[in-house]
Amino acid sequence: MLYALIHYFFVAYEIMIFARILGSWVPQFQGHPLMRFVAYYTDPYLNIFRKILPPIGGTLDISPFLALLALGYIERLIVKLLLFL
């Protein structure tokens, strides 16, 4: 049960990151309350990766892909740690 809850949390956060990516491509959505909510919760995490790998050419931001990759590793690490408890 706990594993499923953790998995659903990570899936929900991954969906929010994908929404942030897609929303950044459509400037009209930037001011929408849902996009502000998504940005509020995803930007602190994404900013970690933006510091490591700034946008290429000033416009191409691949940090969300690194963030998604790291999120998968973090989820697996948490599940493995819980298996030892």
Side-chain angles (χ1 to χ4, degrees):
M1 176 70 176
L2 182 60
Y3 303 114
L5 184 63
I6 290 169
H7 177 70
Y8 292 135
F9 171 79
F10 278 92
V11 168
Y13 201 71
E14 289 170 2
I15 290 170
M16 288 176 64
I17 291 174
F18 276 117
R20 182 73 174 113
I21 293 167
L22 295 175
S24 70
W25 294 345
V26 184
Q28 296 87 353
F29 290 153
Q30 294 300 317
H32 192 277
L34 180 62
M35 287 308 299
R36 287 197 313 258
F37 173 83
V38 168
Y40 180 80
Y41 286 103
T42 58
D43 279 354
Y45 177 67
L46 292 173
N47 286 340
I48 295 168
F49 296 93
R50 288 180 182 135
K51 289 178 185 176
I52 296 169
L53 185 64
I56 299 170
T59 57
L60 181 62
D61 186 11
I62 60 171
S63 62
F65 300 108
L66 291 175
L68 287 169
L69 188 67
L71 206 58
Y73 287 123
I74 293 167
E75 179 184 3
R76 286 191 291 272
L77 177 66
I78 290 172
V79 168
K80 285 183 181 181
L81 288 173
L82 287 174
L83 286 174
F84 287 115
L85 295 177

